[in-house]
Amino acid sequence: MIDRIETLKEKKLIGKNVTMSYLENKTFELWCAFMPRRKEIKNNVDANLYSLEVYPAGHFDNFDPADEFEKWAAIEVLDFNEIPTEMEALTIPSGLYSVFIHKGPATEAHKTYNSIFVEWLPNSPYTVDDRPHFAVMGSHYKKDDPESEEEIWIPIKYKN
């Protein structure tokens, strides 16, 4: 299930974000607002898209699907010298991540996340860390195609 454990180097992203909960999911609206404007970001590192969640500290301690968090649609950039209007900058700090490959349509990603949090994580020497969670949608990402692939990055730290 797990592809690898990796120490991520700091990443700079530019994109759009919304505050939402799992009960009031605004992911579709966020991406509809971001995608037509993504080419306004001039200093991108590559063509990968980042779907990111920034959770408040302790978000998963007593999980409630009504709890709010920030959801981002973004692109990695070299620097923050030019940020298009109505977009914002976000830095992902360096740290340890578990990286999983979700294969299949995006609509079935919840199955992969369930396996990560219900099966893999409790049986691993790790716990979730308070850094952004994200998915990287690269050249193998095809949204609803059964052959689609995306990387899921979960911030982790060793259990105490």
Side-chain angles (χ1 to χ4, degrees), residues 18-22 52-72 90 128-133 155 157:
V18 296
T19 299
M20 61 176 253
S21 70
Y22 284 106
L52 216 120
E53 297 84 28
V54 179
Y55 298 105
H59 182 83
F60 293 102
D61 293 347
N62 294 299
F63 180 72
D64 180 344
D67 288 345
E68 293 186 331
F69 59 92
E70 274 184 15
K71 179 78 170 190
W72 285 75
L90 175 72
V128 175
D129 199 4
D130 288 326
R131 286 178 283 116
H133 297 225
K157 61 185 179 184

Side-chain angles (χ1 to χ4, degrees), residues 1-154:
M1 165 177 219
I2 187 165
D3 188 54
R4 65 192 183 275
I5 302 289
E6 188 169 321
T7 300
L8 178 82
K9 293 179 183 168
E10 180 182 275
K11 287 186 178 287
K12 292 175 172 54
L13 303 176
I14 293 177
K16 296 182 80 58
N17 71 78
V18 296
T19 299
M20 61 176 253
S21 70
Y22 284 106
L23 290 181
E24 291 186 47
N25 192 325
K26 300 176 184 174
T27 303
F28 180 77
E29 295 91 331
L30 173 64
W31 282 96
C32 285
F34 176 72
M35 289 303 283
R37 298 195 54 214
R38 74 185 188 278
K39 295 205 184 305
E40 294 176 34
I41 301 169
K42 300 296 181 202
N43 55 345
N44 40 317
V45 170
D46 53 34
N48 293 342
L49 299 171
Y50 286 74
S51 178
L52 216 120
E53 297 84 28
V54 179
Y55 298 105
H59 182 83
F60 293 102
D61 293 347
N62 294 299
F63 180 72
D64 180 344
D67 288 345
E68 293 186 331
F69 59 92
E70 274 184 15
K71 179 78 170 190
W72 285 75
I75 293 176
E76 185 179 5
V77 294
L78 299 169
D79 56 52
F80 296 137
N81 294 343
E82 293 182 48
I83 301 173
T85 58
E86 298 178 10
M87 290 198 196
E88 294 182 54
L90 175 72
T91 301
I92 303 174
S94 61
L96 199 60
Y97 277 82
S98 54
V99 184
F100 303 84
I101 305 296
H102 169 69
K103 293 184 181 180
T107 54
E108 294 188 7
H110 66 279
K111 294 176 183 176
T112 301
Y113 281 98
N114 186 65
S115 295
I116 293 167
F117 287 101
V118 175
E119 297 168 21
W120 181 81
L121 194 61
N123 296 304
S124 78
Y126 307 104
T127 187
V128 175
D129 199 4
D130 288 326
R131 286 178 283 116
H133 297 225
F134 61 94
V136 180
M137 295 163 288
S139 60
H140 297 289
Y141 180 76
K142 297 172 182 66
K143 196 175 178 185
D144 294 324
D145 189 308
E147 299 301 313
S148 181
E149 289 185 20
E150 64 186 280
E151 289 185 343
I152 296 172
W153 291 63
I154 306 296

